[in-house]
Amino acid sequence: MKSNILLALLISLFISTGLFSQRELKRGKLKQYSNKQSDSINTFSSTTVTLSGKTKYTDYKIISHKRDTTYIDTTLTLQKEYKFNYLRKDLFEFLEFHNQGQAVNNLGYSFNNVYRFPDIGFSAKQASYFNIDDIDYFEVPTPTTEILYRTGLQQGQVLDALFTLNFSKRLNVSLSYKGLRSLGAYRQALVSNGNFRGTFQYRTKKNQYQIKGHLTSQDFFHQENGGLTAESLVNFIEDDPNFTTRARLDVNLTDSESQFDGNRVYIEQSYKLLSSKDSINNKDFSNLKVGHILTNENKTYEFIQGSLNTAFFGTANSSNPRDKKATSKITSNELNLEFNSKYVLGKFKAKTNFTNYSYGYDTILNSNSSVNRLKLEGNAISFGADWNAKIKNFQLNADASITPGNGRLSGNFLKGEAVYEKDSVFSVKGTLLLSSKSPNFNTLLHQSEYDAYNWQNDFSNVNTRDIGFDLKSKWLNASLNFTNLDNYTYFDEESKPQQFANQITYLKVKANREFKLGKFALDNTLMYQNVSSGSSVFRVPEFVTRNTFYYTDYWFKGKPMLVNIGVTFKYFTKYNVNAYNPLLAEFRIQNDEQIGFPTIDVFFNAQVRRTRLYFKVDNATSSLTDKNYFSAPNYPYRDLTIRFGLVWNWFI
């Protein structure tokens, strides 16, 4: 299925490139436009077929789900180096497994994106899942393409392709597909993932009617090896020369696989019922909109084995081993009424939401279990409001909702933020989050052929309170978060879901500062964490640091190439890192092993016009250090690995 989607995407890309043109083209030299970001969109040769109109980098817009607008950036920076990975985000607070696309362990926790309703769970398989907030929309004057390619580990690669165009100024369509296949260095470690996304947005001439939406189809297939056996673990730690080829090491599982799939349809539309003009300033000062948001999302998870492994998972009994999928279906319809006026200092939206959910199995899988319920099903009605206002240099945002009743979706949500920005010198943001919602569905109901992995729980809502402060300036970037958690839900040492009876108190402080001297720079990021209450179940390292020393300069006559060469040191202090359970696709607490180690990565990156080339050596000093680097107990981190890749933008 993934190959068919990719083929269709590539065909659409080349056909659309040839057929669609959004402005009249003519031959000639494109007028150069200066801009502070030195974006290379405008760096064309005199023989290029160019646009008759004036096109600048600010015309190529990326619009987030929350309608924040940025621009397609083709520059080469250190932040691009940090984000050149499969997840395409800075992994400072994460600990990757050896093969890209596998699970990632947490070095820190963020509660900025707490969702209102519970999810299916199996969270280790959703590290690269695109949620609603992860989908971007576009507005571009010409057809635009971005291709990311990155080598995999032992036979494999990543390809992330984007194609977007505007049929008119008011209608945009985009197609994206990210595919990964990587064998891995150890036995039974194959990863094969696919993420398809299609988006559109349209508005009428006077913006009276607006609609946007997206479609996603995502699948994640992983072989599961359960980590190294006890004997192989000794061979790895003692650096036995007979096992430098990691595929020679034995693993606990030899015929186990997991499959996680998800698809979603999202449509958001609004219609302006009333609009009036401010006769003095001649601008819209009030309007009334009615809106509707439809979300339909299905997720499934299945752990597949050729034969039962009771030595690793315990005793088993199955009445019907074929129908093992856990399935979640959520359909949500929101109706809202938005009022925008100077009398409310901005935009106010009242909303009501009707949600239908279903999670469970088709049959009882284990006759020895006490589970007597196949599904969790129900409906819920939520009421809420949003408020957005700008007062001089202050931006105020608030989002609140409540879901009354005693059902699984009952709870409340409040998120507020105040941002003060002083020109481009600095900005300060304060945030408040209050959330009460049910734990994920797989902690409430789970079935398995193995006796120890069947449960049916009636847990209380997890209550989250988070206060945060962020400072961004040219001198220092810093953030502070203070979090309280009640009824924190986790998996214990026996991989059973539990709720912590006491309160968890968590403090996280992070700071970043870069020092520059000529063509050289030193970028430093330090994170301090403290769990003053609840550290027996909520585990984080006390310190995490990352320091990058790098050199930046243009090479060759005429400055055709910008190079970025450096070395990155990362270290986290020892702590009881969570263990990984392949059957549950979840992390559990463990008290047997502490992990904390340094890594050194070397990179050589270059930019030629709108193409960024990346060459990197991961864990470059692994052959010189002790073999104490693990992503989770029994799961070694990667050895020295050479990566190559590129990001290439086309603006037609």
Side-chain angles (χ1 to χ4, degrees), residues 109 462 485-490 498-500 502 504 537-538:
Y109 291 88
V462 179
L485 299 170
D486 291 325
N487 301 323
Y488 175 69
T489 306
Y490 65 98
Q498 305 288 348
Q499 283 199 313
F500 190 56
N502 301 317
I504 291 175
V537 297
F538 193 89

Side-chain angles (χ1 to χ4, degrees), residues 533-597:
S533 175
S535 59
S536 60
V537 297
F538 193 89
R539 310 286 177 77
V540 290
E542 187 175 13
F543 287 100
V544 181
T545 182
R546 180 179 64 194
N547 311 91
T548 301
F549 180 74
Y550 67 103
Y551 159 87
T552 303
D553 193 17
Y554 285 95
W555 281 8
F556 308 115
K557 185 178 180 180
K559 299 182 178 179
M561 176 186 291
L562 176 67
V563 298
N564 198 328
I565 306 171
V567 57
T568 298
F569 171 83
K570 183 176 179 180
Y571 172 74
F572 60 94
T573 53
K574 289 188 175 182
Y575 75 112
N576 290 109
V577 64
N578 288 337
Y580 175 65
N581 187 304
L583 187 151
L584 293 174
E586 296 279 5
F587 287 93
R588 63 170 178 84
I589 64 171
Q590 58 86 25
N591 297 306
D592 299 324
E593 185 175 349
Q594 287 196 333
I595 294 175
F597 59 90

Side-chain angles (χ1 to χ4, degrees), residues 432-435 463-467 482-486 503-504:
L432 172 66
L433 172 70
L434 302 175
S435 170
N463 300 317
T464 305
R465 296 173 293 277
D466 180 83
I467 299 176
F482 184 77
T483 309
N484 285 327
L485 299 170
D486 291 325
Q503 185 179 94
I504 291 175

Side-chain angles (χ1 to χ4, degrees), residues 452-496:
Y453 292 88
N454 294 270
W455 53 74
Q456 184 175 312
N457 296 315
D458 186 19
F459 285 152
S460 302
N461 277 9
V462 179
N463 300 317
T464 305
R465 296 173 293 277
D466 180 83
I467 299 176
F469 299 94
D470 288 89
L471 169 66
K472 291 185 179 180
S473 71
K474 59 182 180 180
W475 306 286
L476 178 71
N477 296 323
S479 64
L480 181 149
N481 285 85
F482 184 77
T483 309
N484 285 327
L485 299 170
D486 291 325
N487 301 323
Y488 175 69
T489 306
Y490 65 98
F491 289 88
D492 63 16
E493 292 184 82
E494 304 299 325
S495 296
K496 300 276 190 181

Side-chain angles (χ1 to χ4, degrees), residues 253-422:
L253 303 175
T254 58
D255 61 353
S256 300
E257 303 166 348
S258 64
Q259 181 75 47
F260 186 96
D261 298 318
N263 58 76
R264 179 176 63 247
V265 175
Y266 176 88
I267 298 175
E268 178 179 345
Q269 54 188 329
S270 65
Y271 184 81
K272 188 181 294 186
L273 297 174
L274 174 67
S275 178
S276 61
K277 295 282 187 179
D278 185 328
S279 59
I280 298 177
N281 297 318
N282 192 28
K283 64 179 182 180
D284 282 342
F285 79 96
S286 67
N287 61 59
L288 184 65
K289 288 183 181 179
V290 60
H292 171 250
I293 300 175
L294 166 67
T295 305
N296 183 277
E297 187 164 31
N298 301 326
K299 295 180 179 180
T300 63
Y301 173 76
E302 183 177 14
F303 182 71
I304 308 162
Q305 284 190 300
S307 59
L308 297 179
N309 191 324
T310 56
F312 192 76
F313 292 114
T315 58
N317 186 304
S318 175
S319 60
N320 188 347
R322 291 173 294 177
D323 301 322
K324 298 184 290 185
K325 281 187 180 180
T327 302
S328 169
K329 298 180 180 179
I330 295 182
T331 302
S332 171
N333 279 280
E334 177 186 302
L335 294 176
N336 56 68
L337 193 64
E338 180 183 302
F339 183 63
N340 186 7
S341 170
K342 62 183 181 181
Y343 301 114
V344 295
L345 301 177
K347 182 175 66 177
F348 182 82
K349 179 192 291 185
K351 55 189 179 182
T352 182
N353 187 295
F354 180 78
T355 303
N356 174 269
Y357 73 95
S358 173
Y359 163 82
Y361 301 81
D362 292 332
T363 186
I364 297 296
L365 301 180
N366 192 316
S367 59
N368 289 340
S369 74
S370 58
V371 173
N372 56 19
R373 190 171 186 177
L374 291 179
K375 295 182 182 294
L376 303 175
E377 298 177 303
N379 303 308
I381 299 179
S382 304
F383 305 94
D386 298 343
W387 179 56
N388 307 96
K390 186 172 179 62
I391 306 173
K392 294 185 178 180
N393 291 335
F394 283 93
Q395 175 68 46
L396 306 175
N397 304 304
D399 181 5
S401 67
I402 183 171
T403 307
N406 298 316
R408 287 296 170 197
L409 300 189
S410 64
N412 55 72
F413 178 89
L414 171 63
K415 184 176 182 180
E417 65 179 24
V419 183
Y420 175 81
E421 186 171 359
K422 179 63 175 177

Side-chain angles (χ1 to χ4, degrees), residues 61-80:
K61 299 176 182 179
I62 303 174
I63 304 168
S64 72
H65 173 71
K66 297 180 180 179
R67 295 187 174 86
D68 296 325
T69 301
T70 55
Y71 308 112
I72 294 177
D73 184 4
T74 63
T75 58
L76 179 66
T77 64
L78 181 63
Q79 291 302 316
K80 298 287 186 68

